[in-house]
Amino acid sequence: MRALPVLLAALLAAPLYAQTDPSTAALNAARQLEAASIALTEADSARDRVRALTTTVQAYEAGLTAMREGLRKAATREAQLTAELHAREKDVAQLLGVLQTIETTAPPVLMLHPSGPLGSARAGMMLSEVTPGLNARAQALASDLREVQTLRQLQQSATETLTEGLVGVQTARTQLSAAIADRTDLPRRFVEDPIRTAILISSTETLEGFASGLSEISEGEIAATNADVSDRKGQIDLPTQGIILHRAGETDAAGVTRPGIVMGTRPRAIVTSPTAATIRYRGPLLDLGNLVILEPQPGLLFVFSGLQEVYGETGQVIPQGSPVGLMPGETPEIGAILSTSSDGTGTDRSETLYIEVRQENSPVDPESWFRTDKDG
């Protein structure tokens, strides 16, 4: 019987950190954002600031995504537990009453039984069998109560964490833009002639026509390269986090069929070069908006369109993982991030990135080069 005070104390005690899946996910996301904040502070002293800041932006994006998912799951779990506890209010009241009665009843009274000592013995045997069941029910209830309180605490403290994360990622993006503008150490295969580029743009009506004339936009000869990524065919990572909305050859809601894939991304997501590559063109083109055309090896082009900002200079040879642009859109407000209306199906990925792969100036299925089974 001495274990009952401890059991009741646990039942009514201040909440402990219940390491449930939703709360653990939210806590881990908060740690990711904290690590990103530290990385942002250290990026100033990094030898390669562009790389350090790119990693920092990606860390913030991953942390904010994880926080959103963790909070959504936490809110769903908290609502589920609350509903279950409300439905069990009568049962809970009876359980607490029995436990408190057992604990407060004096030992001499427990020994009295109308049937005498034999009845008392039998009643004691029954009580010894029932008590473990009562303990188990009480412990389960205590665990549920602690979990509800932990989840509520996480949600209440999320606003400050998210605010810091959103400020941090914006600061990192601004610093990244400045670091790219200051970068002068990249090799160049050619220097773009802006007049020739303007003439090519004005004289072409399709991406195919523009791509076929890329050799004409340089001031001089384009240096040869023996770059080769063919051994990574089918395993190259996508340039940003997102989900596949339309695959090559599929018709979209507007009735348009394209040879590339369309990805849904979150607003202001960073887009990076999936391989080392030469920037063959960056800027606006036709009705494709801002785009970047990368050449990872001779005869192979990766086209990423739908960007708001584009980074780098035409002719530069950039290493794998280099930022090439940012997606458009507005960073969501705290209320939108905390909203549980999203069901986790990607409805918050409001921006679209179009990816086309051209080999010997003919479109090929991007999935023959990119690994698309890692939607993020």
Side-chain angles (χ1 to χ4, degrees):
M1 295 298 179
R2 290 297 93 199
L4 283 175
V6 177
L7 183 60
L8 285 170
L11 194 64
L12 303 174
L16 302 174
Y17 263 118
Q19 292 300 308
T20 62
D21 287 341
S23 61
T24 300
L27 288 168
N28 287 339
R31 294 189 186 103
Q32 280 184 272
L33 290 174
E34 182 180 357
S37 176
I38 294 172
L40 178 59
T41 302
E42 296 175 346
D44 280 338
S45 59
R47 176 175 297 179
D48 188 341
R49 285 195 72 226
V50 171
R51 182 182 294 276
L53 287 166
T54 300
T55 302
T56 299
V57 172
Q58 291 170 327
Y60 269 117
E61 290 180 349
L64 289 168
T65 297
M67 176 63 78
R68 178 173 188 148
E69 292 303 307
L71 290 174
R72 183 180 62 81
K73 292 177 181 177
T76 302
R77 177 64 175 161
E78 189 263 333
Q80 175 191 351
L81 284 172
T82 300
E84 290 177 359
L85 289 170
H86 281 316
R88 290 159 50 195
E89 279 183 352
K90 185 176 180 180
D91 181 53
V92 169
Q94 290 176 341
L95 173 61
L96 287 174
V98 171
L99 292 173
Q100 289 172 331
T101 299
I102 291 174
E103 174 60 21
T104 56
T105 302
V109 177
L110 290 175
M111 294 300 294
L112 298 177
H113 194 278
S115 301
L118 184 59
S120 296
R122 288 174 178 167
M125 292 173 63
M126 291 175 62
L127 186 60
S128 66
E129 292 177 359
V130 171
T131 300
L134 293 175
N135 285 350
R137 288 170 63 193
Q139 288 170 351
L141 175 61
S143 176
D144 287 349
L145 287 171
R146 288 197 300 268
E147 184 175 351
V148 167
Q149 294 174 10
T150 298
L151 293 171
R152 286 179 180 173
Q153 282 185 335
L154 282 171
Q155 293 173 79
Q156 289 168 358
S157 63
T159 300
E160 180 179 352
T161 302
L162 285 170
T163 299
E164 293 175 353
L166 291 171
V167 171
V169 72
Q170 183 56 40
T171 301
R173 288 172 182 147
T174 302
Q175 292 186 12
L176 176 60
S177 296
I180 291 172
D182 294 339
R183 183 172 59 184
T184 59
D185 59 341
L186 292 179
R188 298 187 77 142
R189 288 181 58 206
F190 66 93
V191 176
E192 180 187 25
D193 184 328
I195 296 177
R196 291 184 177 184
T197 301
I199 292 173
L200 177 62
I201 291 174
S202 65
S203 63
T204 56
E205 297 180 354
T206 64
L207 177 59
E208 180 179 1
F210 182 80
S212 66
L214 281 176
S215 60
E216 303 172 9
I217 68 173
S218 66
E219 289 184 351
E221 292 293 322
I222 297 177
T225 175
N226 59 358
D228 187 356
V229 296
S230 57
D231 61 329
R232 297 175 56 193
K233 190 173 183 179
Q235 296 301 315
I236 296 175
D237 287 334
L238 290 165
T240 190
Q241 293 185 10
I243 58 174
I244 304 298
L245 300 178
H246 298 288
R247 300 186 184 276
E250 291 183 348
T251 303
D252 62 21
V256 178
T257 303
R258 295 185 176 91
I261 60 177
V262 178
M263 288 186 67
T265 77
R266 291 188 170 85
R268 308 299 289 159
I270 191 170
V271 179
T272 60
S273 177
T275 67
T278 302
I279 301 177
R280 294 302 303 268
Y281 176 75
R282 40 88 79 185
L285 181 67
L286 305 173
D287 60 349
L288 298 172
N290 271 336
L291 60 76
V292 172
I293 300 179
L294 302 177
E295 184 187 64
Q297 68 181 38
L300 180 67
L301 299 177
F302 293 160
V303 182
F304 305 141
S305 72
L307 301 164
Q308 177 169 312
E309 298 174 33
V310 287
Y311 296 140
E313 296 295 335
T314 299
Q316 285 181 332
V317 181
I318 58 176
Q320 178 179 335
S322 296
V324 295
L326 289 177
M327 296 300 293
E330 297 294 330
T331 302
E333 300 292 335
I334 292 293
I337 296 179
L338 292 174
S339 171
T340 59
S341 59
S342 170
D343 59 1
T345 58
T347 54
D348 57 324
R349 295 173 176 88
S350 57
E351 307 306 321
T352 54
L353 177 71
Y354 177 66
I355 300 174
E356 185 168 314
V357 176
R358 304 188 67 83
Q359 200 161 358
E360 304 304 335
N361 206 30
S362 294
V364 298
D365 188 347
E367 293 188 72
S368 65
W369 283 92
F370 287 100
R371 181 181 175 186
T372 58
D373 60 349
K374 290 173 51 179
D375 294 351

